[in-house]
Amino acid sequence: MVEHASPAAAATDPAADRPANRSANTAAPHETPGLRARMRQLLNTRAVLHPPALRYQEDWSQAVANICNDWVADQELRKRRAESPEASREISRMLALAHEFKNLETLRKDGTENLILGNVKNPKQVYTDAIIRSFLHAVGETDVEAVLNSFKNTGTGASHRQIPTVISTIANLLGAAQILAPDPIAKAAISGTRLAVQVGLSAAVIDSGERRLFNSGTEDALPLGRAEAATAARRAPSVLQASWDVMRELHDVEKDLRHLTEALKRLEQARANPSPQGSGSANGKSAAEAARDDVNLVSARICYKLKVKQGYKAARENAAVEWRGGERGIYCGTTGTALTLTAAGIGIMTPEIIASAISGGLLAGAATTALLLYIGYQLGSGPSKDGEAKARRAIIALAKLTEVLDPTLDKAIQERAAAYERYREDCKRPSRLQPARREAVEQAARRILLASLNGITQREREQGDAHPDGGASKAISPEENWAQYRTYQQHQADARTREAGADSDGMRHASPEASDDAAHPEPAFTPIAKPLIEGWKRQIEIKMIGAQRLLAGKVARAQKHVLAQQNAARPQEESQKLIDAKEELRQTMRNLIHFELAYSQMRVGEDGARPGEAVLDRAKALLLRIDDSDARALFCGDADQQVKATYLSKRLTAGETERYTLLNTGANALAMGLGIGLQAGDVHIAFDKADGAYTGPRFNDFKLVATLNGMPTPSGPLSTGDRAPFQQREMPTLLKTIEPAAAAGSPSIVPITLDAPRPADDARNDPVNALDAQINALVDQMASRQSVFDTLTLEIVAPPAGTGEAMPVSGSGTDTIRIDLTKTAAFHRVRYKNATSAQKARYIAREAAIAAKQTGSIYVGPLAQLAAKPRLNATRAFLNQARGQMATVRETLLTEAPTPPRAPTLPEFSWLKSSAPDPASDPISILPAPPDLPTDPVTISGFTSEVNDALAKMRSASD
């Protein structure tokens, strides 16, 4: 734990490559909580056992100075590390280790002396640890052990499953009592009680999603840093969808590679021997143009298949992170479930084959053992080990899913894959048409695809992406990176040998650098660290983001309260509740605006320039005005207060609650329905037996154990892994169902002039008091609307000359700050309330569809993974070869002399609604010949949107 008592020295020492908020103190070592502390958490699942990683213990007026200094220092460190050769060397080592471990058996054949780590025992553990340490060194963590130990603080085990586990045990014990009870009436009463318990168990399972959301706050407040999900992880499909795509799409990869090679040869031959226009194809293109189109089409198809493979990899990594984060809990839960299900199976044979006393005793013993397994896991070191394993696995996932050796190639593959995916969708739409008409639409879609691909190439040419003459550094493959690092490693070994030889001869050099002379130059590493450095969040950044979300969410919630009270108030009357709601909105607006203005003042320039002292003083004055207790608790509170404030910040953010509660409910929906349904049937049979009216088989005294066990299941990570991409994959389509026809306008505060901070004894205007009148006017404007504003815009004007140091502004003399409220939960709750009945029905249906997908992931996902594995194994080598070929394809297309893309002008497709066209007419003639797109760069830049508009026309027409 870092406890500040004075401003951070690192903030004033920009040359020191050490993390912010570590200067004055060092992190407290991890201490395993004692049995008493674990018992306290067992009784109170929201208790936090560890101190926060960062806490400003002094008064808020003193804390703001440290907050400003630490935040600026963190930005400076991030920029320095992004350009640091040392960081790039560590990232190169990390990637080289990953490549070496992946190909360990092959590389060992050349001798273990050629390996970076040599001959090691337990390679998986050793290589994983080395990769993680290289990553932490690259991002600037100087005390790696402290960071790794802090990961142990984040584990809460399955504490959110405590109530379901207890209720499940009660239900199982009632089942045992039902078997042992001799009286039919007693059996019926116990069965009815057990049905009520089963309903309560389902409610507890649903509520556990909210509890898990609360516990996730420990992952923000307790570790010294955290690896964010990679971009690929945030756009990943579900494991079920990814497995289906693999089985459906990954075929004929070898054939595509062969076609691509042939097309590249034809293009090379056509360039060497130019042919006249019209000799290459029937549509009047030259041989070079025809070959170029073939290269574009085949490469786009391969890019789409690479995207499918990348989607499966990302989905698998998301699930792997969650698996490692609950592995020991999953083992305990699986064991308990197996025991109780076995005892239940034996119970079905009672009393015909096995005596009631035996089967009832077995079931009671199994239920008790399952509960003891849970208690033992929670009281032991299991939660800490699982928390550490999850944080470490998140670093591995970030490293595996972030493309650093050639990020522009990954971007090009994604863009071409998206274009090909749109082409496939457009070809599917006219499937109901007659062949001639369908062919016409497909030809139009093909021309649009080619135009899109040419537009992508043109944009890359203009931006210099991977162009040999564009100034971009040449990308290297994983094999080349491994060889480069091995060369560096050998260089270091040779340098040490030369230095040792010099020492033995009494010729030690004055400095270590003198041994690296011109005859032995050190290999240079390409700057590749930035993408991974941006994925690592330290405590100060986590808290700044949390405060931003918290204050924006409170503004939207306050406006929601104003709207509710305004609708409830009588005309011409302002109730006290409405007055209070407006005051709440006014106060939250002050806090949010003060924070956003201070945040804008603390920005480090693109060139790494540190804000001036006058600017930082202004930022401190603005932060000092924030009186929100939750925002202050994020920085100054103890562990419980910080976790609670983090929880509130997440609840006020759109999608955060849903990605825990909705996914949890969907994953358990089938088990809940099955448990209640079977028990209801058992109640009916028990009452029939009590009345003597039952005539069915005797194997019905007790059918099944409670199908819901409190602990997580082995397939659970396939569902919880969907939390990472939920915001980008599910929320947009969910929220679109309640989107109004016309969005509310976004207000702008009148121009604000921030004066320089004045001394405390200066009675003149406070530099931020002028905001109050503007905020009051804005609150009145917000209260007059029927929905929450989507954006708040602050237009900051430079101070007049002579009033002190000006705040950073753009060249126009103003600086615009846009505060996005569309990402707040209250914004969408108001939209849902104002939505029509049809929109609400679509919203609920979409929620049900998301939950149903989670049910499929739990029960079908493992089988789908098994079915997809052979296809992945069969195509892995070809897909790896194809990715390497894509760099050659892109370079070939970029080095070609630029030719203007041909943009198709789509018809209105009136023939879709009219009678059949004249058979004598050419079906292609219904599509006008596409005019040449002007080659002017300004016009070219808008080409993509023009193609998209044309594509939208075609889609709407075919519908």
Side-chain angles (χ1 to χ4, degrees):
M1 180 182 67
V2 180
E3 297 177 351
H4 281 276
S6 60
T12 59
D13 183 14
D17 253 7
R18 56 181 175 238
N21 63 56
R22 304 277 184 85
S23 55
N25 301 278
T26 57
H30 167 79
E31 296 181 2
T32 303
L35 182 60
R36 180 176 298 180
R38 288 290 189 191
M39 287 293 295
R40 180 167 64 90
Q41 190 181 52
L42 194 63
L43 298 175
N44 177 16
T45 59
R46 297 196 172 191
V48 184
L49 305 184
H50 301 277
L54 173 62
R55 181 186 182 188
Y56 300 89
Q57 288 193 321
E58 60 268 12
D59 182 73
W60 180 249
S61 61
Q62 297 174 327
V64 293
N66 287 326
I67 293 172
C68 289
N69 290 334
D70 283 353
W71 176 230
V72 172
D74 185 77
Q75 294 177 76
E76 290 178 318
L77 174 62
R78 187 179 300 275
K79 289 183 179 297
R80 288 197 307 273
R81 297 303 293 178
E83 301 171 358
S84 168
E86 178 190 354
S88 294
R89 185 175 66 243
E90 289 293 342
I91 295 297
S92 177
R93 180 177 188 269
M94 181 192 74
L95 298 176
L97 288 169
H99 173 77
E100 184 171 286
F101 177 68
K102 184 178 179 181
N103 301 276
L104 193 57
E105 293 302 321
T106 303
L107 295 174
R108 272 179 174 172
K109 295 177 181 178
D110 298 330
T112 56
E113 67 277 0
N114 293 323
L115 301 179
I116 297 175
L117 298 183
N119 189 19
V120 296
K121 297 179 180 179
N122 195 358
K124 183 175 182 179
Q125 179 179 348
V126 172
Y127 274 87
T128 299
D129 187 69
I131 289 171
I132 292 171
R133 289 175 182 274
S134 290
F135 173 84
L136 294 177
H137 283 303
V139 298
E141 297 294 346
T142 55
D143 194 347
V144 173
E145 293 300 330
V147 176
L148 294 175
N149 283 330
S150 73
F151 291 163
K152 300 176 183 178
N153 300 343
T154 63
T156 58
S159 60
H160 62 290
R161 294 267 186 173
Q162 175 188 323
I163 296 177
T165 299
V166 173
I167 297 178
S168 178
T169 303
I170 294 173
N172 292 333
L173 293 176
L174 286 173
Q178 182 181 349
I179 292 176
L180 295 172
D183 184 31
I185 296 178
K187 285 179 180 288
I190 293 174
S191 183
T193 303
R194 189 168 180 273
L195 176 61
V197 171
Q198 193 78 14
V199 173
L201 174 59
S202 298
V205 169
I206 293 174
D207 183 62
S208 67
E210 186 77 23
R211 291 174 179 270
R212 180 65 185 90
L213 171 63
F214 179 89
N215 289 345
S216 68
T218 61
E219 299 173 13
D220 286 347
L222 303 186
L224 292 174
R226 185 190 66 201
E228 292 282 278
T231 302
R234 292 195 296 269
R235 66 187 181 210
S238 66
V239 170
L240 180 60
Q241 181 64 53
S243 300
W244 171 248
D245 289 343
V246 165
M247 292 184 286
R248 186 183 58 176
E249 304 293 349
L250 293 190
H251 54 80
D252 296 333
V253 181
E254 184 180 9
K255 182 179 177 181
D256 290 337
L257 271 174
R258 187 169 60 253
H259 288 172
L260 179 60
T261 303
E262 294 171 355
L264 286 171
K265 288 181 179 178
R266 290 198 303 271
L267 179 57
E268 184 179 354
Q269 292 171 357
R271 288 180 179 177
N273 303 294
S275 59
Q277 195 79 11
S279 61
S281 62
N283 57 9
K285 292 185 178 181
S286 66
E289 288 177 330
R292 190 179 195 278
D293 288 349
D294 290 343
V295 171
N296 263 324
L297 291 173
V298 179
S299 63
R301 184 161 61 246
I302 291 176
C303 286
Y304 175 70
K305 294 179 180 181
L306 288 171
K307 181 184 177 183
V308 169
K309 180 199 172 188
Q310 177 70 4
Y312 181 87
K313 180 181 178 181
R316 185 189 61 194
E317 286 299 319
N318 287 338
V321 171
E322 294 297 329
W323 169 268
R324 293 300 179 191
E327 184 175 5
R328 292 161 183 81
I330 290 173
Y331 288 149
C332 290
T334 303
T335 303
T337 301
L339 289 173
T340 50
L341 285 177
T342 301
I346 295 174
I348 293 175
M349 297 183 286
T350 305
E352 290 297 311
I353 300 176
I354 298 178
S356 299
I358 296 176
S359 61
L362 286 175
L363 181 57
T368 304
T369 302
L371 180 63
L372 291 177
L373 284 173
Y374 171 80
I375 294 175
Y377 166 71
Q378 287 298 129
L379 295 181
S381 60
S384 294
K385 291 180 178 179
D386 280 345
E388 179 188 15
K390 181 177 181 179
R392 292 167 68 97
R393 192 62 180 79
I395 293 177
I396 297 295
L398 176 64
K400 292 176 70 173
L401 297 178
T402 302
E403 180 56 53
V404 296
L405 295 178
D406 191 1
T408 59
L409 176 60
D410 184 68
K411 178 183 177 182
I413 289 174
Q414 293 295 329
E415 289 179 343
R416 285 170 171 80
Y420 188 79
E421 193 170 7
R422 289 193 298 268
Y423 163 74
R424 284 163 51 92
E425 289 298 321
D426 291 319
C427 288
K428 289 178 183 177
R429 290 179 178 272
S431 58
R432 63 184 181 276
L433 302 177
Q434 295 178 1
R437 300 178 181 181
R438 183 166 63 247
E439 182 182 357
V441 176
E442 290 174 354
Q443 289 293 332
R446 183 177 184 273
R447 295 213 298 265
I448 289 177
L449 171 61
L450 288 172
S452 298
L453 297 174
N454 289 332
I456 292 171
T457 302
Q458 181 69 15
R459 179 192 57 76
E460 291 175 337
R461 182 181 289 113
E462 292 172 357
Q463 296 180 358
D465 289 354
H467 194 284
D469 300 324
S473 59
K474 183 180 182 299
I476 59 175
S477 66
E479 294 81 3
E480 293 171 332
N481 176 73
W482 178 81
Q484 182 185 37
Y485 189 81
R486 283 289 296 119
T487 302
Y488 166 77
Q489 190 180 36
Q490 186 62 45
H491 174 274
Q492 294 296 100
D494 293 343
R496 287 192 295 270
T497 301
R498 292 194 303 273
E499 185 176 355
D503 291 343
S504 63
D505 294 337
M507 296 184 300
R508 175 180 291 274
H509 293 286
S511 64
E513 291 80 359
S515 63
D516 291 330
D517 52 26
H520 304 279
E522 182 175 305
F525 288 89
T526 304
I528 56 175
K530 185 177 180 181
L532 285 174
I533 288 176
E534 291 176 348
W536 178 252
K537 307 297 181 186
R538 293 186 182 82
Q539 269 298 314
I540 185 62
E541 184 175 6
I542 293 173
K543 295 187 185 305
M544 293 295 286
I545 294 174
Q548 203 169 31
R549 290 179 175 181
L550 175 71
L551 296 174
K554 284 194 171 186
V555 166
R557 185 180 64 178
Q559 189 177 2
K560 173 175 166 283
H561 292 165
V562 170
L563 297 176
Q565 295 301 324
Q566 206 160 30
N567 292 333
R570 297 177 181 177
Q572 308 300 325
E573 180 180 327
E574 190 172 58
S575 64
Q576 184 60 43
K577 289 185 177 180
L578 178 57
I579 295 174
D580 294 341
K582 285 187 175 181
E583 181 56 34
E584 177 192 5
L585 177 58
R586 188 173 291 108
Q587 188 58 41
T588 55
M589 280 295 302
R590 285 196 193 101
N591 290 327
L592 175 61
I593 291 176
H594 291 155
F595 180 84
E596 290 291 347
L597 291 174
Y599 192 87
S600 70
Q601 299 287 277
M602 293 184 286
R603 286 180 302 199
V604 173
E606 291 297 327
D607 57 351
R610 179 184 178 87
E613 288 303 320
V615 176
L616 287 179
D617 288 343
R618 187 184 297 115
K620 294 169 188 176
L622 289 163
L623 284 180
L624 188 60
R625 299 274 296 208
I626 297 175
D627 58 5
D628 185 86
S629 59
D630 294 311
R632 290 187 175 188
L634 275 175
F635 297 93
C636 301
D638 58 23
D640 289 303
Q641 292 170 332
Q642 288 194 20
V643 171
K644 288 178 182 177
T646 302
Y647 167 67
L648 179 59
S649 173
K650 292 186 176 185
R651 277 191 58 85
L652 293 174
T653 303
E656 285 292 330
T657 301
E658 288 84 352
R659 75 188 184 118
Y660 285 91
T661 58
L662 193 56
L663 297 187
N664 175 70
T665 301
N668 294 282
L670 181 60
M672 289 188 293
L674 186 63
I676 294 175
L678 287 175
Q679 187 57 35
D682 191 67
V683 169
H684 178 71
I685 292 173
F687 275 90
D688 280 352
K689 286 183 176 182
D691 293 339
Y694 181 72
T695 59
R698 297 190 62 189
F699 296 100
N700 280 312
D701 283 333
F702 181 69
K703 284 185 175 296
L704 287 173
V705 74
T707 55
L708 285 175
N709 185 272
M711 297 288 283
T713 59
S715 59
L718 299 184
S719 173
T720 55
D722 279 348
R723 290 176 190 156
F726 185 85
Q727 292 279 23
Q728 291 190 17
R729 193 184 72 207
E730 304 292 358
M731 283 304 292
T733 55
L734 179 63
L735 299 176
K736 192 174 181 179
T737 59
I738 55 174
E739 186 174 342
S746 301
S748 294
I749 293 184
V750 295
I752 299 172
T753 300
L754 287 183
D755 204 352
R758 302 184 186 280
D761 58 352
D762 195 331
R764 290 179 291 176
N765 290 336
D766 188 294
V768 291
N769 272 341
L771 294 177
D772 289 346
Q774 298 161 340
I775 291 174
N776 291 337
L778 179 62
V779 167
D780 293 337
Q781 185 183 4
M782 296 173 73
S784 65
R785 303 297 182 94
Q786 291 301 311
S787 62
V788 177
F789 285 115
D790 55 1
T791 306
L792 296 175
T793 304
L794 313 182
E795 295 179 351
I796 317 299
V797 178
T803 58
E805 185 177 350
M807 68 181 299
V809 294
S810 62
S812 60
T814 61
D815 193 16
T816 300
I817 303 174
R818 290 182 176 83
I819 306 172
D820 187 7
L821 296 182
T822 62
K823 297 179 181 178
T824 62
F827 177 87
H828 297 291
R829 290 197 180 102
V830 172
R831 277 199 169 180
Y832 180 83
K833 183 178 180 181
N834 296 336
T836 63
S837 298
Q839 287 179 316
K840 291 179 180 179
R842 287 196 295 271
Y843 185 90
I844 295 173
R846 181 59 192 163
E847 281 189 319
I850 294 173
K853 285 201 301 186
Q854 299 311 306
T855 302
S857 294
I858 289 290
Y859 296 100
V860 186
L863 299 176
Q865 273 193 298
L866 288 175
K869 191 172 182 179
R871 180 62 59 84
L872 279 169
N873 292 337
T875 58
R876 181 176 290 111
F878 295 117
L879 287 171
N880 291 338
Q881 183 182 350
R883 182 177 177 83
Q885 191 81 332
M886 284 303 102
T888 303
V889 170
R890 189 172 52 147
E891 183 176 346
T892 300
L893 295 176
L894 287 172
T895 53
E896 185 182 13
T899 56
R902 297 169 64 84
T905 303
L906 295 178
E908 295 298 328
F909 287 100
S910 57
W911 45 271
L912 286 171
K913 303 176 183 178
S914 61
S915 59
D918 183 6
S921 64
D922 181 6
I924 305 299
S925 65
I926 61 176
L927 299 173
D932 288 341
L933 190 70
T935 57
D936 179 69
V938 176
T939 309
I940 290 284
S941 63
F943 177 60
T944 302
S945 61
E946 185 176 335
V947 168
N948 289 337
D949 293 342
L951 188 57
K953 280 187 178 181
M954 190 183 78
R955 287 172 175 164
S956 61
S958 60
D959 286 337

